Amino acid sequence: MEYLSSNKIAIIDLGASKTIQKELDEDLVKEKIGGAGITTALYEEYRDEDPIVLGTGLLTGTLAPASALGMVTAKSPVTGKICHAPFTLYGGVELKYCGFDYVVIKGSSPKPVYLWIHDGIADVNDGKEIWGKDVWISTDMIREVMGDPLIQILAIGKAGESESDFAQVCINYWASGDRWGFGKLFGQKKLKLVAMRGMSLLEIADPEGFVRKCKEFLSTIKSGPYAGKGGIGELSAAMGEDIRQWLEPIIHRHLSCFNTPFPTNTFVFLDEDPKLLKETEKKEPGFLITDVHGLLGYKKLGLSAAEACDLLRDCAKYGIDAVAVAELSQKAGKKKPDEIKKSLSGLKGSLESVGKGKFSPWAPSFTLSSDEWERRQAVAYLFGIHPIYALMSPEFSEEKLIELANLGTGLGFTSETLDKVIIDILK
Amino acid sequence: MGIKVDPKKCVSCMACELACGYHRDDGFALLSSCIMVTRGREKKDYSAVVLKEEENLVIARPEGLEIRKLGSTGEASSGREKEDASAKPLLLREPCDLCGDREEGPLCLQFCPVNAISMN
Amino acid sequence: MPSISNRNQSSFDPPIGIYTGSGASHSWLWFVEILERMGFYNIHFVDDRGLLASALDSLDVLLMSGGDTFAIAKGLGTEGSLKLRHFIEEGGLYIGTCAGAYLPLRSSMEFLNQFNFIQAKIANISRRLSEPERHSFQQVACSSYGCEFIFHVAREEVVVEMANGYHANGKKEMIAPLYGGPSIYPSEDIESIAIYKGFTKKTKFLVEKALAQKTLIGNIAVGKKEMGKGHLYIFGPHFEHPHFLPCNLFLIEVIRKKHGRRHSPNQKDVYEDPVKEEVVRNYIRDLKREVSHSRIAASGMTDFMGSWQIGNKYYDPEKIQVFIETLWKRFTYLESGGEVAVDLQDLDEMIGQMQGITDVLRKMKKGIDRGEATDGLAEGLFPSLKKVTSHFLTVYFNKKRLESIMSQA
Ligand code: SF4
Ligand code: SF4
């Protein structure tokens, strides 16, 4: 695969602590497009070894608007189905540039390890030092050892290590869209984290044409209904649960995922003046909210915004899905932050908010029907478009994405290809 | 004439960085871009947009602009720094050329989704 | 960016040495770049230690690029000057740009006075200035030169005009990049090949234009001197800057005109037990892993907006990346299979050197984060980077040369 690709797949055998590399077959791309199409195919290929497949979409890491998506595809220990969990921020783009389009992690390790994927090399490293540490400390340790704060990390905390059903694979310090208990799967495999960094170059089949179209599409969506807005509060408002006022006093800034026109994340300051412009002296002044549902869950318990965000921070450190924690706290009648914090370890129960399909319910349904939502998610996960932003920008249509894919790769995808792949991955 | 960044509008999306990298390499890469959003203070949510010009590093910080003379240890405004006239250019990140060879002008500006970049 | 086509390489591939020792800045990498594009693979790297040993004996050409002239002279010392003189007199070709051009020009300064091969005078030295002019240099660029100083009047682009019937691809004029190189008064002792003619829109004046004109225009930018059986060519501007194609071509022409000296290329090392591919591949992989580690640690410093001061030069973090990327972009070729004639011990050593560099970079990053001074660490880093880069390029060009010889056979 020549364009928009590193042309490599890493197959990592955790049991044998060995890595091999394969080329990314262009025919596979022609048939499955990319992203969830190919992670699903790779899952099937290695299904006997209970693989975790990491991947990016066909357009991830390009100038295509919102091309921020990376994903984890595996069998959910919670639902028993093959599911996809999204990771955005700078995680998707880092995976795309670290030299592998896809990473298959198969088998399980006898002792704690972490994966270090960098510049086209995939190493299985000893994880003794970080096993037992929370997500934040683990991320800090890896970045410090390697000397680069730009390393992007998919990590589990104590929840994953203790194989909790609600364990989440976090991204750097923050919650991801993992609602499938993939944190538990990492824990079962004794895989503490995956660290990624790379600086490769992606070639484009028709560079000028591709970039011209990206620009054109960007200007269309830039003038859409979300223009000039930003933050997690806007998402909640669009979902019909307006929390903007409630959250406002602690907002420091809204942040976008890679190349995403709308900032879907909000950084709140909890131990620092939110209006501060210069660099804070505090090491850990607050929290980046990346998941609106967790926040809403805590708001429903009657907590203040600061209390809710403080709890979100604890959940992320522990590596547990805040949505599950909020729901189970509600059921158990726990409404005090301290009580909830204490319940994280050993949390048990069954959830109603578990996703029913293949794609994480992290992306809100807004006003879409579940079929519309699902199709749009499938499209986002194939091309590598931010799953929430994909829902917010219907103007960025399937035709436009196919057009970009063709300019970028020269492979001649059609809407029939797309339909076929979607049916395939929804099976 | 030059590129101006309003760091208070910036949402750290890196679009400008990738656009500039494309301007240099005709492919997608970040290493040769001369506009960068710093991402090293993630837990503090502190970042700036840095532009490498011929002579200076222009750092647009949320609290204000800082200009550093390249090839020196000081701020350009201090005026105390003698420059090293024999310094040879580093041909990795080439200074901003305002996308002079592009009809539609600066690519970074066209790709900033929140209009944080302008020409002055 | 203009580029040189990889011309079908002729069988003429003279052994060329590039100086990388004390005082050399990073501009020697530009020589590597343009020579490779032109299909010269018989490239060797010479540091001061090598030069003082017998490195020059097997070379036809020595390329000396920019940097700190004084540090180069000091590193080579009297013995080095004798070696260099002997090399040229016995038929060697010396090409010096910028610092490499100052080196053989007449000077009374300690160490430098060992290298007075050309009696021509430097025009941009402070004794040529009037009192008020001298004064005007208090704020601008100059480097001390004993009790005098070398001053610089302009940088970036200048126009040079070919003289004495020389031409550059049929043209009389070309644009060349000047970064502190000398302007030389015409003299009996040097043949003028090109003179400074004028400026362009991209010229950056460091003083008033009148003084710049007085200092540069009409003086020698490129000169030649015969010495024994050999020659010295000195270039004020950096003719090896890879973005200045006509300059590069002219420089390459000078090398092409050079007829083989005393020996055919030293091919012994090329055919020395090519080691089993598989083993070498694993070593190269390990080396790549280490280079990636350095590369990543260097990228971790992008938030650091400062520079390090080492001696009288400033070093930006980007300079680290310039060296590392020189290696990095050549890995694909080394990994592409085929024989790599290399001592495993050499590779092992390189891996060790690279690990050392990664360690230093990580320490620097930690230091920067804690607000500590890291100049000391940086000072040790750059020589190691130069060393491992030339080491690596040696292996790389060996492979290229081997392949090119085999394809010709
Ligand atoms: S104007 Fe062009 S060269 Fe300058 S920063 Fe923007 S993209 Fe880069
Ligand atoms: S494109 Fe605009 S918003 Fe994005 S990082 Fe650059 S300046 Fe900031």
Side-chain angles (χ1 to χ4, degrees):
Chain A
M1 174 69 186
E2 200 176 345
Y3 299 112
L4 305 187
S5 160
S6 313
N7 190 29
K8 273 204 283 191
I9 304 175
I11 318 285
I12 299 165
D13 182 345
L14 288 180
S17 193
K18 274 227 170 78
T19 302
I20 55 164
Q21 296 186 2
K22 292 214 288 192
E23 277 191 9
L24 175 61
D25 189 356
E26 196 169 281
D27 288 338
L28 183 67
V29 179
K30 276 188 190 153
E31 194 190 327
K32 304 280 182 191
I33 301 179
I38 292 179
T39 56
T40 307
L42 288 168
Y43 179 88
E44 293 302 336
E45 188 179 341
Y46 295 95
R47 102 172 281 141
D48 295 344
E49 290 161 283
D50 191 23
I52 298 172
V53 185
L54 311 180
T56 51
L58 188 79
L59 298 173
T60 302
T62 68
L63 280 175
S67 58
L69 183 62
M71 65 204 73
V72 185
T73 299
K75 186 158 112 187
S76 161
V78 182
T79 68
K81 284 198 245 173
I82 318 303
C83 303
H84 313 284
F87 57 90
T88 55
L89 297 174
Y90 308 120
V93 63
E94 202 62 60
L95 176 55
K96 188 84 172 203
Y97 283 86
C98 78
F100 298 101
D101 290 12
Y102 301 92
V103 178
V104 178
I105 308 162
K106 56 179 199 172
S108 70
S109 167
K111 59 175 188 16
V113 291
Y114 71 94
L115 298 186
W116 172 218
I117 305 176
H118 58 111
D119 283 331
I121 295 166
D123 292 330
V124 182
N125 286 356
D126 190 345
K128 189 167 72 227
E129 301 283 323
I130 39 173
W131 193 260
K133 304 279 190 300
D134 76 27
V135 169
W136 286 37
I137 295 173
S138 305
T139 294
D140 283 340
M141 282 173 76
I142 295 293
R143 288 178 169 181
E144 181 162 330
V145 167
M146 300 297 176
D148 188 358
L150 302 185
I151 294 169
Q152 302 299 305
I153 294 173
L154 301 172
I156 59 165
K158 297 222 174 83
E161 291 178 14
S162 59
E163 300 177 21
S164 156
D165 276 349
F166 316 114
Q168 183 174 78
V169 176
C170 294
I171 169 141
N172 299 344
Y173 308 101
W174 325 115
S176 75
D178 172 19
R179 292 279 172 68
W180 307 121
F182 286 160
K184 178 178 183 177
L185 197 56
F186 269 49
Q188 287 168 341
K189 290 176 178 289
K190 291 274 183 296
L191 175 61
K192 177 67 181 178
L193 57 84
V194 181
M196 309 175 280
R197 181 78 178 119
M199 288 162 266
S200 48
L201 180 134
L202 307 178
E203 311 258 12
I204 314 158
D206 173 359
E208 286 301 318
F210 184 87
V211 170
R212 195 175 333 109
K213 277 287 163 211
C214 288
K215 224 156 58 181
E216 194 184 306
F217 297 157
L218 175 66
S219 52
T220 332
I221 45 190
K222 240 168 105 170
S223 50
Y226 291 99
K229 296 179 179 166
I232 210 96
E234 292 296 336
L235 295 184
S236 74
M239 292 160 67
E241 300 181 62
D242 197 342
I243 55 167
R244 283 176 295 189
Q245 271 192 341
W246 175 72
L247 193 63
E248 177 55 33
I250 55 171
I251 293 175
H252 182 241
R253 188 167 78 118
H254 303 307
L255 279 148
S256 272
C257 298
F258 170 79
N259 193 17
T260 302
F262 179 95
T264 57
N265 313 292
T266 294
F267 209 109
V268 292
F269 270 8
L270 303 171
D271 312 310
E272 178 60 277
D273 173 13
K275 298 281 165 278
L276 185 77
L277 287 178
K278 61 180 184 22
E279 184 177 348
T280 168
E281 315 235 310
K282 303 256 166 59
K283 276 207 170 108
E284 296 174 352
F287 187 71
L288 179 69
I289 313 167
T290 51
D291 182 355
V292 65
H293 303 282
L295 187 65
L296 290 173
Y298 288 132
K299 178 159 190 299
K300 277 192 203 115
L301 294 179
L303 302 180
S304 73
E307 284 170 332
C309 294
D310 185 43
L311 264 176
L312 289 178
R313 178 163 63 180
D314 277 339
C315 289
K317 285 186 176 178
Y318 195 75
I320 195 163
D321 180 6
V323 180
V325 176
E327 188 182 319
L328 293 173
S329 301
Q330 179 81 275
K331 276 191 184 155
K334 289 191 184 121
K335 300 216 160 143
K336 292 212 186 78
D338 276 349
E339 250 182 322
I340 300 173
K341 276 183 199 181
K342 277 198 204 107
S343 74
L344 297 186
S345 135
L347 191 70
K348 293 234 158 42
S350 60
L351 297 176
E352 255 126 65
S353 65
V354 157
K356 306 278 187 293
K358 299 253 172 183
F359 303 105
S360 167
W362 173 70
S365 53
F366 296 111
T367 53
L368 299 173
S369 75
S370 69
D371 282 352
E372 285 169 329
W373 180 88
E374 192 170 52
R375 175 147 184 127
R376 195 64 184 151
Q377 290 298 286
V379 169
Y381 280 74
L382 290 170
F383 292 102
I385 303 303
H386 193 296
I388 299 176
Y389 193 73
L391 300 169
M392 296 163 70
S393 58
E395 329 62 331
F396 198 18
S397 62
E398 291 177 14
E399 293 69 41
K400 286 183 175 149
L401 285 159
I402 292 172
E403 201 179 340
L404 276 184
N406 287 335
L407 287 166
T409 63
L411 289 184
F413 298 107
T414 60
S415 52
E416 286 74 52
T417 334
L418 182 61
D419 284 338
K420 196 172 159 289
V421 181
I422 292 177
I423 293 168
D424 233 38
I425 57 172
L426 290 180
K427 245 192 254 157
Chain B
M1 249 201 347
I3 290 289
K4 210 179 105 193
V5 183
D6 180 352
K8 283 186 215 146
K9 279 192 187 166
C10 173
V11 291
S12 297
C13 72
M14 292 174 73
C16 51
E17 203 170 328
L18 191 68
C20 188
Y22 168 78
H23 166 56
R24 299 295 181 190
D25 292 332
D26 283 335
F28 293 127
L30 297 162
L31 207 60
S32 50
S33 168
C34 60
I35 188 165
M36 285 163 285
V37 44
T38 67
R39 297 184 282 133
R41 321 273 160 97
E42 185 171 344
K43 271 195 293 184
K44 295 181 165 201
D45 189 30
Y46 180 78
S47 93
V49 182
V50 184
L51 180 73
K52 186 180 173 187
E53 294 182 335
E54 202 80 53
E55 309 276 311
N56 300 318
L57 214 52
V58 182
I59 309 164
R61 300 184 186 280
E63 71 270 30
L65 202 67
E66 185 191 334
I67 299 175
R68 269 175 184 274
K69 187 117 209 131
L70 280 170
S72 83
T73 51
E75 281 187 45
S77 54
S78 74
R80 272 176 292 120
E81 295 295 328
K82 273 193 181 178
E83 69 182 296
D84 177 2
S86 62
K88 294 147 202 11
L90 301 163
L91 303 181
L92 189 64
R93 291 186 193 275
E94 299 206 31
C96 173
D97 61 5
L98 296 173
C99 290
D101 58 349
R102 289 183 185 276
E103 247 170 61
E104 291 170 61
L107 207 60
C108 54
L109 184 154
Q110 295 159 50
F111 273 97
C112 178
V114 294
N115 306 325
I117 306 178
S118 56
M119 286 276 272
N120 69 351
Chain C
M1 195 206 292
S3 68
I4 304 176
S5 66
N6 193 341
R7 271 198 209 169
N8 209 355
Q9 196 216 356
S10 66
S11 53
F12 175 68
D13 195 4
I16 300 173
I18 298 178
Y19 179 77
T20 62
S22 316
S25 90
H26 67 283
S27 52
W28 60 268
L29 297 172
W30 299 348
F31 270 124
V32 174
E33 212 63 44
I34 66 163
L35 287 170
E36 183 178 8
R37 285 192 210 154
M38 295 295 281
F40 287 89
Y41 303 140
N42 198 354
I43 300 174
H44 307 265
F45 300 90
V46 184
D47 61 8
D48 23 2
R49 269 216 351 242
L51 194 145
L52 291 174
S54 56
L56 293 182
D57 297 350
S58 53
L59 298 176
D60 278 3
V61 185
L62 179 68
L63 305 175
M64 179 78 75
S65 182
D68 179 345
T69 320
F70 185 75
I72 299 171
K74 193 174 168 196
L76 296 179
T78 314
E79 212 188 320
S81 95
L82 290 173
K83 292 259 182 196
L84 197 54
R85 178 183 287 278
H86 179 77
F87 164 75
I88 302 165
E89 284 178 341
E90 286 303 303
L93 171 63
Y94 173 93
I95 295 179
T97 62
C98 203
Y102 281 109
L103 184 71
L105 284 168
R106 203 176 67 154
S107 165
S108 54
M109 229 174 128
E110 197 194 351
F111 299 115
L112 276 174
N113 59 13
Q114 304 287 329
F115 295 84
N116 291 349
F117 299 161
I118 304 175
Q119 298 309 315
K121 290 174 179 161
I122 300 170
N124 52 318
I125 192 162
S126 51
R127 71 173 75 97
R128 324 259 183 253
L129 295 170
S130 66
E131 237 349 276
E133 282 171 344
R134 236 171 204 276
H135 196 73
S136 70
F137 276 96
Q138 273 174 357
Q139 287 304 318
V140 271
C142 46
S143 26
S144 110
Y145 206 72
C147 42
E148 297 290 328
F149 60 83
I150 294 283
F151 61 89
H152 306 293
V153 292
R155 21 188 297 118
E156 316 279 339
E157 286 185 6
V158 291
V159 181
V160 300
E161 182 184 40
M162 309 307 286
N164 290 324
Y166 283 92
H167 62 85
N169 258 348
K171 290 215 187 78
K172 288 290 286 174
E173 274 184 18
M174 62 180 130
I175 293 170
L178 184 68
Y179 302 110
S183 168
I184 306 151
Y185 281 139
S187 139
E188 293 280 288
D189 204 37
I190 188 167
E191 181 187 354
S192 172
I193 293 178
I195 57 163
Y196 291 102
K197 168 85 184 301
F199 306 107
T200 77
K201 269 197 292 201
K202 289 195 187 155
T203 308
K204 205 195 134 216
F205 292 100
L206 303 165
V207 293
E208 281 110 70
K209 199 168 169 187
L211 182 55
Q213 269 165 335
K214 180 180 136 192
T215 307
L216 289 176
I217 306 303
N219 288 334
I220 297 176
V222 183
K224 170 189 174 187
K225 175 175 175 165
E226 210 173 298
M227 206 165 108
K229 290 185 228 160
H231 294 93
L232 294 113
Y233 280 78
I234 58 174
F235 296 77
H238 277 278
F239 269 50
E240 76 282 27
H241 187 305
H243 293 183
F244 292 79
L245 179 63
C247 294
N248 303 163
L249 291 172
F250 182 79
L251 224 159
I252 294 296
E253 234 8 74
V254 173
I255 298 175
R256 279 198 200 282
K257 279 208 199 102
K258 165 86 197 132
H259 294 292
R261 201 161 55 117
R262 305 156 287 207
H263 40 66
S264 53
N266 177 8
Q267 288 174 359
K268 195 170 80 262
D269 48 343
V270 173
Y271 292 114
E272 240 168 44
D273 324 311
V275 216
K276 281 243 168 65
E277 266 187 47
E278 176 65 24
V279 183
V280 173
R281 215 189 343 258
N282 288 338
Y283 269 92
I284 289 179
R285 183 134 209 94
D286 289 346
L287 179 61
K288 186 177 178 185
R289 172 179 292 110
E290 271 323 310
V291 177
S292 162
H293 281 155
S294 285
R295 196 175 184 234
I296 288 166
S299 91
M301 274 181 249
T302 28
D303 270 23
F304 169 61
M305 312 293 171
S307 307
W308 300 285
Q309 189 173 6
I310 304 169
N312 55 0
K313 301 260 176 196
Y314 294 101
Y315 288 75
D316 292 326
E318 195 182 324
K319 198 173 220 162
I320 303 171
Q321 293 182 302
V322 165
F323 279 99
I324 298 174
E325 290 309 307
T326 301
L327 272 67
W328 187 255
K329 67 179 182 195
R330 289 179 169 85
F331 262 107
T332 324
Y333 173 71
L334 276 194
E335 287 176 314
S336 66
E339 271 169 19
V340 184
V342 60
D343 215 327
L344 289 187
Q345 216 180 327
D346 260 9
L347 281 174
D348 219 26
E349 213 175 282
M350 250 189 280
I351 294 167
Q353 285 170 338
M354 231 37 247
Q355 278 165 342
I357 288 170
T358 305
D359 275 355
V360 174
L361 288 170
R362 287 173 180 168
K363 275 193 199 126
M364 285 167 84
K365 168 71 184 151
K366 251 187 227 170
I368 290 167
D369 285 348
R370 294 188 186 133
E372 297 161 3
T374 46
D375 299 71
L377 286 166
E379 191 167 351
L381 178 74
F382 285 98
S384 323
L385 276 171
K386 274 200 265 186
K387 203 165 171 177
V388 75
T389 306
S390 43
H391 212 144
F392 177 91
L393 289 171
T394 305
V395 172
Y396 174 83
F397 282 113
N398 270 346
K399 178 167 156 71
K400 283 237 146 174
R401 196 157 83 243
L402 181 61
E403 245 175 43
S404 129
I405 291 170
M406 303 230 277
S407 75
Q408 274 165 34

